Amino acid sequence: MVFFDRKSFSDLNPRGILCILGGFILCLSFASDFSYPNLNTYLISYMRQNGKNPGLTYADFVFLSSTKVILQGSSMPLVGMLAKKVGVKPSIAIGSLIYSFGFIISYWTVKERYIFAIMSLSLHGLGFSWVYATAVGAAQAWFSPRVKGLVGSMVLSGYGFGSLIWIPLQTSFVNPNNIKAITDRECEHLGTDKEETGCDKYFEDPLLLERIPYMFLMLGGTYLGLCFISVLLISDAHQGRVQPKEKMIGEVHDACQDLIEKKHIIKDESPYSLSPKAVLKTSTFYKIWLSFFALCLTNGLMGNYSKAYGLTFINDDHFFAGIGVVCNVFNGAGRIFWGFVYDNLNFKRTYLIMAIVVTVVTSSLPILPYLEPESTGVKALYGFLMVSLYATFPGVYAVIAAAVADAFGPKYYQANFGLLFSNAVCYCLLIIFLTKVPVVYGFLGYTGMFLVAGGVGVLGVLTASTAPTLLSSDRHRVDRV
């Protein structure tokens, strides 16, 4: 087994390096959804107090995150095909403007009914569809296919490292004095033994709440600046390599003509590519799709409820900001690590390692409320479990980015990548079912949600066990005369 292939990086192009850097910065700016647990507590606390959203709770944040993800998943196949036609830089610019605009106008929408905040902040999903696969594919095109996992993961690590910046920035801007959240006065468990673990806590300090709309204005402007830098750095490898080869066109043409005249058969050794329609006819697609879904469900639950769940036994906003920083160090570094592992172990083995860890850790989360609230022990265990999750499940995005190219070829990469993100619609609907159907949520609570996610993780492990050890689009190649 070769862990680092020097030949794959032997002909480094400076523009390729800049493309990786640009993609990294782009993903860094788009990583606001990894700060959703933090945004949930601020946004919902503010909108409960603006006089237009009575009864709003943390559980309602799922409508925002789900709208964003559903918009992202449903638009990605079509946007992927459009992005291929309009080109790399225009696609990055379009997506960046949509994303930044959504945050900037949230300064106004959060002062209205919740539906308007959902509409503005979920534009993130549409912007994501324009840039995500485009940035990854652009970077991979500059380097050998042998390191597509590592190159893609270097770009995507920005998505992990992003909230290393955004969570502390949000907390220091909104709650610099670590003001405590207050137990919901309308909680049905108020005054009972279940108050500590059964009642959510919300921020009510007027000065803290006043800063929240300005936070969205500040974030939107920051994202716009970073995205502008990304547009300058990212380039299309195919366009970038045209000029040096122009002088060889005549020689290549003459050589080809000579081969044709001599009736030599030219074998196409480029990777075989499947169109989206052909991809949907393969069993490999559905095995990868279900495997992806299993880990994305845990991602969805953590992205919505990890902090709200933690607040039921740890009421310390700065603690969660600190844990968020550590988690996202592992989030970013983990993506690079898992991309590196993919290049050496391929899809099946890499996924199984990740899925087993995520399944075990997610199923362990219900232990936390049984420990003493606010104790060092519960903080240490919560931190350990969160770090373990964020070091592992985000790696699936780096793995899937490489797996799509290996399994289905490079030509329709963006559209095929988008097909896999259709799983977002399904896991969001499942989360809504678990949290917003009163009978179901009343029965399950946080404990049941995490156990359901663990069960889906087991399904992912079983599905991936049947996938090919080595993914290759050439297995679908049609012999041509």
Side-chain angles (χ1 to χ4, degrees):
M1 181 181 296
V2 179
F3 286 99
F4 188 80
D5 181 10
R6 191 179 302 173
K7 292 181 179 179
S8 300
F9 288 97
S10 60
D11 187 25
L12 290 179
N13 189 307
R15 294 184 67 183
I17 300 297
L18 290 176
C19 194
I20 291 178
L21 178 60
F24 174 88
I25 295 173
L26 183 72
C27 288
L28 192 80
S29 66
F30 266 77
S32 62
D33 48 354
F34 274 103
S35 67
Y36 273 2
N38 208 45
L39 282 177
N40 181 2
T41 59
Y42 295 147
L43 175 68
I44 299 300
S45 292
Y46 178 83
M47 299 196 75
R48 281 168 60 89
Q49 303 291 328
N50 72 359
K52 300 180 181 179
N53 299 280
L56 197 66
T57 69
Y58 289 142
D60 293 312
F61 190 82
V62 71
F63 292 116
L64 191 160
S65 60
S66 296
T67 302
K68 175 259 179 186
V69 173
I70 290 172
L71 181 61
Q72 171 183 302
S74 59
S75 66
M76 247 185 149
L78 175 60
V79 169
M81 290 187 285
L82 291 175
K84 182 176 175 61
K85 291 183 178 181
V86 303
V88 171
K89 281 184 179 290
S91 296
I92 300 296
I94 292 169
S96 298
L97 288 172
I98 292 172
Y99 170 55
S100 303
F101 176 73
F103 266 81
I104 290 171
I105 64 171
S106 293
Y107 169 81
W108 292 278
T109 61
V110 298
K111 299 177 182 180
E112 303 299 329
R113 296 186 64 82
Y114 185 46
I115 182 64
F116 295 109
I118 291 175
M119 292 169 64
S120 63
L121 290 171
S122 64
L123 287 175
H124 181 177
L126 183 59
F128 179 97
S129 295
W130 280 98
V131 307
Y132 194 75
T134 304
V136 174
Q140 289 176 334
W142 284 101
F143 300 94
S144 164
R146 294 167 63 91
V147 291
K148 63 169 66 72
L150 180 58
V151 170
S153 65
M154 291 170 71
V155 171
L156 296 179
S157 67
Y159 216 83
F161 286 125
S163 288
L164 182 65
I165 301 171
W166 309 131
I167 291 177
L169 180 61
Q170 293 161 10
T171 300
S172 62
F173 187 91
V174 173
N175 192 10
N177 298 319
N178 199 22
I179 296 170
K180 304 297 183 184
I182 305 299
T183 302
D184 182 9
R185 296 182 181 85
E186 298 180 2
C187 177
E188 61 179 340
H189 301 300
L190 200 64
T192 70
D193 294 338
K194 295 183 178 180
E195 179 177 329
E196 281 297 320
T197 57
C199 295
D200 286 324
K201 296 180 176 68
Y202 298 92
F203 295 102
E204 296 183 1
D205 180 77
L207 292 178
L208 182 154
L209 296 176
E210 188 178 293
R211 289 188 284 265
I212 290 173
Y214 292 96
M215 175 190 69
F216 288 102
L217 201 61
M218 176 270 295
L219 290 173
T222 305
Y223 299 151
L224 184 62
L226 289 174
C227 289
F228 176 75
I229 295 172
S230 300
V231 172
L232 297 179
L233 295 176
I234 295 174
S235 58
D236 189 334
H238 302 293
Q239 293 180 354
R241 289 171 178 163
V242 169
Q243 282 299 118
K245 292 184 178 179
E246 284 182 349
K247 62 182 180 181
M248 296 190 293
I249 291 178
E251 297 177 27
V252 172
H253 180 269
D254 291 343
C256 289
Q257 284 295 111
D258 184 58
L259 287 173
I260 293 172
E261 290 173 4
K262 294 180 179 180
K263 298 183 179 181
H264 286 182
I265 299 175
I266 303 174
K267 182 180 180 180
D268 183 11
E269 295 183 355
S270 61
Y272 185 69
S273 293
L274 283 76
S275 67
K277 184 176 180 180
V279 165
L280 290 173
K281 295 179 181 179
T282 68
S283 62
T284 300
F285 169 78
Y286 297 99
K287 291 175 182 179
I288 297 176
W289 188 98
L290 190 54
S291 301
F292 192 27
F293 169 83
L295 295 194
C296 284
L297 177 61
T298 294
N299 179 22
L301 289 174
M302 293 303 103
N304 284 286
Y305 302 117
S306 61
K307 184 180 176 182
Y309 175 57
L311 276 172
T312 62
F313 45 83
I314 304 171
N315 192 359
D316 186 339
D317 204 23
H318 284 197
F319 167 78
F320 291 109
I323 289 297
V325 169
V326 177
C327 284
N328 285 290
V329 169
F330 282 87
N331 185 341
R335 290 171 188 250
I336 298 175
F337 171 77
W338 291 113
F340 178 75
V341 172
Y342 176 92
D343 285 332
N344 291 278
L345 298 184
N346 297 306
F347 172 76
K348 182 175 179 177
R349 297 178 186 132
T350 305
Y351 178 86
L352 289 176
I353 296 171
M354 290 192 302
I356 290 170
V357 172
V358 170
T359 299
V360 171
V361 174
T362 304
S363 301
S364 301
L365 290 172
I367 296 171
L368 291 167
Y370 293 97
L371 302 181
E372 183 181 351
E374 310 294 341
S375 67
T376 301
V378 74
K379 289 182 177 180
L381 184 56
Y382 176 87
F384 172 75
L385 294 177
M386 288 297 110
V387 169
S388 298
L389 284 175
Y390 278 89
T392 310
F393 76 73
V396 74
Y397 294 99
V399 168
I400 292 298
V404 170
D406 280 338
F408 310 124
K411 185 175 181 180
Y412 304 98
Y413 178 79
Q414 289 144 304
N416 291 337
F417 197 89
L419 288 177
L420 282 171
F421 267 83
S422 63
N423 80 80
V425 177
C426 297
Y427 83 71
C428 284
L429 291 177
L430 178 56
I431 292 175
I432 291 173
F433 174 75
L434 295 176
T435 59
K436 298 309 297 179
V437 177
V439 175
V440 176
Y441 184 69
F443 176 73
L444 293 177
Y446 286 121
T447 296
M449 284 195 296
F450 296 138
L451 292 178
V452 169
V456 174
V458 172
L459 179 61
V461 169
L462 295 175
T463 301
S465 298
T466 66
T469 301
L470 179 63
L471 297 178
S472 174
S473 60
D474 284 332
R475 69 175 62 235
H476 304 288
R477 188 186 292 274
V478 178
D479 292 333
R480 289 172 292 179
V481 179

